[in-house]
Each structure stands twice: as C-alpha cells, then as structure tokens.
Amino acid sequence: MWGYVGRRLVAAVPILLGLSVVVFAMMALIPGDPATAILGSYATPENVARLNRQLDLDQPLVQQYFTWLGNLLHGDMGRSYALNRPVADEVFERFSATLLLAGTSLLLCSVLGVVAGIAAAVRQFGWTDRIVTFLVLIGISTPSFWLGLLLIMLFAVQLRWLPASGMQAIYGGGDLPDLLAHLVMPSVTLAVVATAVIARLTRAAMLEVLRQDYIRTARAKGVSERRVIYRHAFKAALVAVIPVIGIQAGFVLGGAVYIETVFQWPGIGRMLVNAIATRDLLLVQGGVLVVAASYVLFNLLADVAQTLVDPRLR
C-alpha cells in the first residue's frame, strides 16, 4: 500500500510541473503590465521600469519561470506583488477557509447523494425513485452561481434568516454559531450539483449489484431485506461510488472559485480572482498549485479507500 501511495505521489510531480508551465504561460499572455497595475496613478515610465527591475520582471519569461521554480523547490513561493507579503502565508491562510467550505460541501453531497441513490434503487420505478430522479435532473441542470443568488434573495433578503456574505459578522461575530450561519448557504449551493451526480451514480451502482446472483441467493436463504441492502449490496456498490466521490471532491474544490465570489467567502477562490485581476503572477501560481495538489491528494485518498473496501484490488 505504501509503495502504491509513493508511486502515485511521484506520478503527480510532472502533472504539477506541467500545470505550473501552463498557468505561467497564460498569465504572461494576458495584456497589461503587472508593474503598471501595482503602481496605478503613479505608473510613470521611470517608476514602471524601476519596479520591473526590482521584481525581476524585466528578465526573459523562461528565466523568470526557472527562477520561480528553483525558489519553490526550496520552499519559497515568492512574494505577492499587490499584497506585499509572502505568497505562502496568503495562500495557506485563504486555503483554510476554502477547505472548510469544500469539506462541508463534500460531506453534505456524499451523505445526501448516497442516501438518495440507495433509496431510489431500492424502490425502483416507485414514487421515491421518480422524485429522486427529478431532483437529480434539477440539481445537475441548475447553475450553482444562480442558485446562490436565489438563496441570498430568499434567506438573506426576504426572510433574513441567514447572513448574505462573508465568513463571520463584522460586529459581535466570530463564534461557532456565527460561523455555521455564514457557512449554510455557500456549502449547500456548492454541494447541489455534486449531490445530484453522486445520487445518480449510486443508484446505477446499487441497481447493478441488486441484480447479482449472490443477492438473490441471500434473499432466498431468508436474510432480512435491510441486511441484504446495507450489508451486502451497499458494500459492493461502494467500490464504484468511492471514485465518484473523489472526483466530485475536485469539482467541489474548483467550484469554490465562483461560489466564494458570490458569497464573498474569504477563501482561495476569491483570492485567485483578485490576483488575476491585478496580474499577481506569483500569487496565482501559488494558489493554483495548492488547489491542484489538493485535487491529486483527494483522488489518491479515494483510490486508497477503494482498495481498502475491495479486497480484490489488494
């Protein structure tokens, strides 16, 4: 198992390197000059040239990339142009907020999706199956940012039950109830599409398992239906469901970019949007690499969990 994990981690290195090259090239192709964006109204030709020299932005792009890569291998992500602070400090500070939002959403979509998929498969062609199928279709078809705006209009503006934005109240907040109140709408919005996908694939996996001969044998031997469903069928279907949850973890993490913008959540997604607007190259690269590394880690954990559940893979 440890050898398998080590091989997967080694295989992720060229992926991250390739991603860093793509992000660097895309940022270089964006029109405009970072020094001009930083200086604003003070962007005279002399000041721009001086700042470019200070930030090593006057060097060829290839040299800039390899300089950044060498610093990264020594644990230094560089310094943010716009924020004037280490990139690593800003990225990991924001990533903790994103991890809280994405982790809550992943927990919601995993539990709700699996339960809904099992309920639909057990009662195939019944009202439960029809309702779940209809809700899955609505969930997959609904744009997350539009759903977020609807939730804000309903629960924040009309009913005033939940706060509309931020991670905590400006005055008198900061405790756990305040955090949970701010977390409800963005986590639900982020989890809707993933819940629908997991429910749909869980239903398909359960239906396939329920048609197997050993399930019919268990029922013929008098095993209770609850035991057949949860002890035999669900355990076998879980082998196919775990990779889906791992993939959805990556999509949830990526979807946090626009959900954080809608709800003004102070996470890494909102940070990346602001960094791209100001052409803060080092901050964008650091944030994208952390998100990409997290995606690789989520998929690795899903593969390990699948191996532990299915002894055939071992």
Side-chain angles (χ1 to χ4, degrees):
M1 179 63 71
W2 288 110
Y4 171 74
V5 172
R7 289 192 299 270
R8 287 294 302 272
L9 292 176
V10 171
V13 173
I15 297 176
L16 296 177
L17 286 176
L19 182 63
S20 68
V21 173
V22 172
V23 174
F24 191 94
M26 291 180 64
M27 291 298 297
L29 293 175
I30 296 177
D33 182 23
T36 303
I38 294 172
L39 291 172
S41 59
Y42 298 98
T44 62
E46 295 80 8
N47 290 337
V48 169
R50 185 184 306 110
L51 186 58
N52 280 328
R53 287 194 300 271
Q54 292 175 357
L55 300 176
D56 294 329
L57 296 177
D58 57 341
Q59 303 294 328
L61 288 177
V62 176
Q63 184 175 344
Q64 291 182 39
Y65 172 77
F66 281 105
T67 299
W68 170 79
L69 184 60
N71 293 332
L72 181 64
L73 294 177
H74 289 87
D76 181 15
M77 290 185 177
R79 195 171 188 86
S80 169
Y81 307 150
L83 302 177
N84 194 27
R85 65 175 303 194
V87 170
D89 294 347
E90 180 70 15
V91 167
F92 288 110
E93 180 181 315
R94 294 297 193 101
F95 187 66
S96 60
T98 296
L99 197 59
L100 174 63
L101 174 59
T104 304
S105 300
L106 183 62
L107 179 63
L108 285 175
C109 69
S110 299
V111 174
L112 295 177
V114 168
V115 171
I118 293 174
V122 171
R123 296 168 177 82
Q124 187 182 15
F125 304 126
W127 282 107
T128 302
D129 188 19
R130 295 177 183 178
I131 293 173
V132 170
T133 302
F134 175 74
L135 293 178
V136 164
L137 179 62
I138 295 297
I140 294 177
S141 305
T142 303
S144 296
F145 67 90
W146 182 72
L147 177 61
L149 294 175
L150 288 182
L151 293 180
I152 291 175
M153 289 293 296
L154 177 60
F155 293 103
V157 177
Q158 298 294 333
L159 300 177
R160 297 185 181 182
W161 289 355
L162 297 170
S165 62
M167 190 173 177
Q168 61 183 19
I170 299 177
Y171 301 106
D175 54 358
L176 182 59
D178 180 54
L179 175 62
L180 294 178
H182 283 81
L183 186 61
V184 170
M185 286 198 295
S187 61
V188 169
T189 303
L190 191 55
V192 166
V193 175
T195 301
V197 173
I198 293 173
R200 184 176 183 178
L201 295 177
T202 300
R203 176 185 180 275
M206 284 290 295
L207 288 176
E208 183 178 355
V209 172
L210 289 173
R211 298 189 184 103
Q212 300 298 318
D213 292 337
Y214 72 92
I215 296 295
R216 286 194 292 266
T217 302
R219 286 170 171 165
K221 292 171 64 176
V223 179
S224 66
E225 187 66 15
R226 181 181 296 272
R227 186 179 179 86
V228 168
I229 296 298
Y230 295 102
R231 181 68 181 273
H232 300 286
F234 174 63
K235 187 176 180 180
L238 193 60
V239 177
V241 173
I242 287 177
V244 178
I245 295 177
I247 294 174
Q248 293 306 308
F251 283 112
V252 165
L253 193 61
V257 173
Y258 50 88
I259 295 301
E260 288 177 359
T261 303
V262 170
F263 289 96
Q264 297 297 297
W265 188 267
I268 200 169
R270 186 179 170 197
M271 180 205 75
L272 286 175
V273 172
N274 295 333
I276 292 172
T278 58
R279 292 205 62 199
D280 199 338
L281 177 62
L282 296 179
L283 191 58
V284 172
Q285 285 185 244
V288 170
L289 282 179
V290 169
V291 172
S294 302
Y295 183 80
V296 172
L297 179 61
F298 284 145
N299 280 274
L300 176 60
L301 293 176
D303 290 344
V304 172
Q306 186 183 26
T307 304
L308 294 176
V309 171
D310 189 357
R312 296 173 297 179
L313 298 177
R314 297 196 295 270

